[in-house]
C-alpha cells in the first residue's frame, strides 16, 4: 500500500538565492552561483558560501549563527503556512524532522578563539551548541513546537533520512503534520576534512566529466510543510498535487567513506524507491543525481542509473550550480524537483562536455532543454558509509 507524503509548501535558500522563479531560471540555464575562493592550507578552493551579513539576523542571540540565519532565510517564505499548520494541528502534534551534518562548529570555533585570547568562553556559550539538534531547536523555538523533534546526521543523505522518518512517524500516528528539511554550512572543519580526504577540487565541480577532480562545498537550507493526507486548507496553489510518492534506502557497509564501486547500493536505493511508489522504471521522467564530481561517486552512480533506467532518461547534477550542501542537499534538490515538475523545466547539467568512457551512456540535460514529459522525478542522495537514499517526487495533478 502506498504511503505518500503531501507537500503543502516549501522554502529554501542557497547560493542561487531563495526566489523560486529566479532560481528555476538559473537551473534551466545551468547558471552557477557566485562561488567564493577560500585559502585552504595554501590551496585556493572554490566554495558556495553565503556571506552571513547578507542574511537577516536571528532575534534570539542564543541562535544567531550562520547556520540558523540560513534556516531563517529559508523559513521566512513559508512562515505563514507553518503558523497555520501549528494552529490547525496543535503545537504538540507537529513534528520537526531535519537533516544536518553540522554540530555547532561555527559557535564552537568562535568560543575556542575567545578562550584562547581571553582565557574564558564567551558569555552565554553552552556546550549544547555542539549537539546535533542545535539547528532543529531553533526551528522548534521559533514556532513554539513541542512535538517530535528528530535530527538525522547520515552525512549527505541526512535530509532524505528526515523525510523517511517523517513518513514513518506520521503514518504511525506519532504526529499529524511536520516540518521536514535540512540545513548545512561549509564550515572550516568540514572544508578541512574533505581536503584531507583529497575529495575537494581546486576548481568548481565538474560532475560526470572525464576531467572531474572532486567536489565543491556549499551552504543551503530547505524546508517543507508535510502532511500524510491532502490538506486543502493548508496547501499552497503552486504545491497542489505535489507529493513524495516513494522512499528507498540501502546500506553498502563496504567502506567508511567511499561508495561501493559497482553501484549496487545506489541501485538498490533507487529500486526500493520505485517499488515503494509501485512504479516501473519507465515512469521516471527525470533524475536529480547525487553527482558530486568525485571520481568514485560519478562512476558508480552512472552505472546504477544506466542499469535501472537505461540511457534515455534525462539526468543532471545541480551541485555544479549550488555546491555540495551536505545534509541539506537532499531537501534542496527535492525543492528543485518540485519546481521542475510544476513549471515543466529540466535543471541543466553543467560540465565541460568531456564524457567519461568509463561511465555508461546517460542523457545529461543540456541548458534550456525541454522535457518530453515530466510527471515524476527521482532524487538521489548517497553518503559516507554507504548510506544511500532516493526519493520519488510526483505531481499528482499531472497524472
Amino acid at each position: 500500500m502506498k504511503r505518500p507524503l503531501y507537500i503543502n509548501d516549501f522554502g529554501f535558500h542557497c547560493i542561487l538565492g531563495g526566489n523560486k522563479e529566479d532560481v528555476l531560471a538559473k537551473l534551466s540555464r545551468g547558471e552557477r552561483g557566485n562561488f567564493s575562493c577560500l585559502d585552504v592550507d595554501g590551496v585556493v578552493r572554490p566554495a558556495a558560501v553565503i556571506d552571513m551579513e547578507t542574511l537577516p539576523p536571528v532575534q534570539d542571540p542564543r541562535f544567531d549563527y550562520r547556520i540558523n540565519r540560513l534556516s531563517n532565510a529559508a523559513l521566512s517564505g513559508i512562515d505563514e503556512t507553518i503558523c497555520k499548520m501549528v494552529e490547525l494541528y496543535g503545537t504538540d502534534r507537529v513534528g520537526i524532522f531535519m537533516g544536518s551534518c553540522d554540530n555547532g562548529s561555527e559557535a564552537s570555533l568562535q568560543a575556542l578563539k575567545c578562550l584562547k585570547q581571553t582565557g574564558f568562553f564567551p558569555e552565554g556559550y553552552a556546550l549544547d551548541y555542539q549537539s546535533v539538534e542545535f539547528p532543529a531547536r531553533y526551528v522548534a523555538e521559533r514556532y513554539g513546537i513541542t512535538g517530535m523533534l528528530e535530527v538525522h546526521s547520515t552525512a549527505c543523505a541526512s535530509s532524505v533520512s528526515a523525510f523517511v522518518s517523517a513518513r514513518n512517524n506520521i503514518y504511525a500516528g506519532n504526529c499529524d503534520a511536520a516540518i521536514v528539511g535540512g540545513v548545512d554550512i561549509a564550515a572550516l572543519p568540514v572544508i578541512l576534512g574533505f581536503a584531507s580526504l583529497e575529495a575537494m577540487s581546486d576548481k568548481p565541480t565538474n560532475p560526470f566529466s572525464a576531467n572531474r577532480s572532486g567536489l565543491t562545498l556549499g551552504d543551503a537550507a530547505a524546508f517543507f510543510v508535510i502532511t500524510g493526507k491532502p490538506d486543502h486548507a493548508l496547501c499552497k496553489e503552486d504545491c497542489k498535487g505535489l507529493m513524495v510518492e516513494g522512499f528507498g534506502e540501502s546500506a553498502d557497509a563496504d567502506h567508511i567513506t567511499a561508495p561501493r564501486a559497482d553501484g549496487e547500493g545506489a541501485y538498490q536505493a533507487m529500486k526500493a524507491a520505485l517499488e515503494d511508489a509501485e512504479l516501473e522504471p519507465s515512469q521516471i521522467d527525470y533524475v536529480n543525481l547525487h553527482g558530486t564530481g568525485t571520481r568514485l561517486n560519478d562512476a558508480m552512480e552512472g552505472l546504477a542509473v544506466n542499469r535501472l533506467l537505461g540511457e534515455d532518461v534525462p539526468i543532471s547534477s545541480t551541485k555544479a550550480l549550488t555546491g555540495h550542501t551536505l545534509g541539506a542537499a537532499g531537501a534542496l534538490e527535492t525543492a528543485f524537483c518540485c519546481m521542475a515538475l510544476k513549471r515543466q523545466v529540466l535543471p541543466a547539467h553543467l560540465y565541460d562536455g568531456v564524457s567519461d568512457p568509463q561511465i555508461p551512456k546517460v542523457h545529461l540535460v543540456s541548458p534550456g532543454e525541454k522535457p518530453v514529459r515530466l510527471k515524476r522525478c527521482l532524487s538521489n542522495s548517497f553518503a559516507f558509509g554507504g548510506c544511500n537514499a532516493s526519493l520519488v517526487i510526483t505531481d499528482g495533478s499531472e497524472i
Side-chain angles (χ1 to χ4, degrees), residues 83-209:
C83 290
K84 188 173 184 179
M85 173 179 61
V86 173
E87 182 182 348
L88 287 172
Y89 292 97
T91 56
D92 61 334
R93 295 299 297 170
V94 172
I96 297 173
F97 301 87
M98 283 177 58
S100 184
C101 300
D102 188 81
N103 60 338
S105 59
E106 181 188 12
S108 298
L109 283 173
Q110 292 181 19
L112 288 170
K113 184 178 180 180
C114 182
L115 177 66
K116 186 175 181 180
Q117 292 175 342
T118 69
F120 300 95
F121 283 114
E123 185 178 353
Y125 177 73
L127 190 61
D128 62 0
Y129 284 12
Q130 291 183 236
S131 63
V132 73
E133 77 270 13
F134 178 58
R137 279 177 34 229
Y138 163 65
V139 178
E141 295 209 17
R142 173 178 171 137
Y143 296 105
I145 294 171
T146 58
M148 293 191 67
L149 188 152
E150 284 190 7
V151 181
H152 294 260
S153 194
T154 49
C156 312
S158 296
S159 50
V160 177
S161 297
F163 269 102
V164 175
S165 185
R167 193 268 290 266
N168 292 343
N169 280 285
I170 285 175
Y171 278 88
N174 296 327
C175 56
D176 298 319
I179 299 170
V180 183
V183 60
D184 245 322
I185 57 174
L188 181 60
V190 178
I191 292 172
L192 292 173
F194 275 99
S196 71
L197 292 172
E198 299 181 347
M200 286 186 68
S201 176
D202 60 359
K203 47 187 172 292
T205 190
N206 194 14
F208 274 63
S209 167

Side-chain angles (χ1 to χ4, degrees), residues 1-332:
M1 182 180 70
K2 287 188 179 184
R3 297 187 300 164
L5 284 179
Y6 292 88
I7 297 170
N8 298 278
D9 202 359
F10 65 93
F12 61 88
H13 197 85
C14 65
I15 198 68
L16 296 178
N19 179 280
K20 292 177 183 177
E21 294 298 328
D22 290 348
V23 171
L24 187 60
K26 292 174 184 176
L27 291 172
S28 177
R29 294 193 299 263
E31 182 179 325
R32 178 176 284 126
N34 185 22
F35 288 13
S36 302
C37 291
L38 306 178
D39 188 330
V40 183
D41 284 346
V43 178
V44 175
R45 301 183 188 277
V49 175
I50 300 170
D51 184 355
M52 180 171 171
E53 298 306 315
T54 67
L55 299 169
V58 174
Q59 296 305 311
D60 187 334
R62 295 175 302 158
F63 294 105
D64 193 26
Y65 293 95
R66 185 155 61 100
I67 193 164
N68 292 325
R69 285 194 181 191
L70 264 176
S71 292
N72 192 35
L75 290 164
S76 62
I78 59 173
D79 194 70
E80 181 182 340
T81 308
I82 293 175
C83 290
K84 188 173 184 179
M85 173 179 61
V86 173
E87 182 182 348
L88 287 172
Y89 292 97
T91 56
D92 61 334
R93 295 299 297 170
V94 172
I96 297 173
F97 301 87
M98 283 177 58
S100 184
C101 300
D102 188 81
N103 60 338
S105 59
E106 181 188 12
S108 298
L109 283 173
Q110 292 181 19
L112 288 170
K113 184 178 180 180
C114 182
L115 177 66
K116 186 175 181 180
Q117 292 175 342
T118 69
F120 300 95
F121 283 114
E123 185 178 353
Y125 177 73
L127 190 61
D128 62 0
Y129 284 12
Q130 291 183 236
S131 63
V132 73
E133 77 270 13
F134 178 58
R137 279 177 34 229
Y138 163 65
V139 178
E141 295 209 17
R142 173 178 171 137
Y143 296 105
I145 294 171
T146 58
M148 293 191 67
L149 188 152
E150 284 190 7
V151 181
H152 294 260
S153 194
T154 49
C156 312
S158 296
S159 50
V160 177
S161 297
F163 269 102
V164 175
S165 185
R167 193 268 290 266
N168 292 343
N169 280 285
I170 285 175
Y171 278 88
N174 296 327
C175 56
D176 298 319
I179 299 170
V180 183
V183 60
D184 245 322
I185 57 174
L188 181 60
V190 178
I191 292 172
L192 292 173
F194 275 99
S196 71
L197 292 172
E198 299 181 347
M200 286 186 68
S201 176
D202 60 359
K203 47 187 172 292
T205 190
N206 194 14
F208 274 63
S209 167
N211 300 319
R212 65 190 184 276
S213 57
L215 56 80
T216 303
L217 294 173
D219 297 341
F223 295 96
F224 294 77
V225 176
I226 297 295
T227 50
K229 58 185 179 181
D231 189 329
H232 301 298
L234 194 64
C235 189
K236 291 293 187 180
E237 187 65 33
D238 64 353
C239 291
K240 286 185 177 176
L242 287 176
M243 64 181 114
V244 184
E245 193 176 13
F247 305 73
E249 293 182 294
S250 71
D252 288 0
D254 187 63
H255 188 274
I256 193 169
T257 57
R260 183 166 159 168
D262 62 4
E264 181 64 24
Y267 173 84
Q268 290 297 336
M270 292 188 290
K271 183 170 177 284
L274 290 178
E275 290 174 350
D276 187 59
E278 299 176 4
L279 298 173
E280 297 297 324
S282 61
Q283 292 176 275
I284 296 299
D285 305 314
Y286 164 73
V287 180
N288 185 283
L289 299 164
H290 188 53
T292 60
T294 63
R295 304 299 306 178
L296 296 175
N297 175 88
D298 294 5
M300 74 86 186
E301 189 171 13
L303 283 168
V305 169
N306 179 277
R307 177 183 169 191
L308 182 66
L309 302 172
E311 62 183 54
D312 295 326
V313 62
I315 67 175
S316 67
S317 170
T318 50
K319 289 182 175 67
L321 311 180
T322 66
H324 187 350
T325 60
L326 302 175
L332 181 65

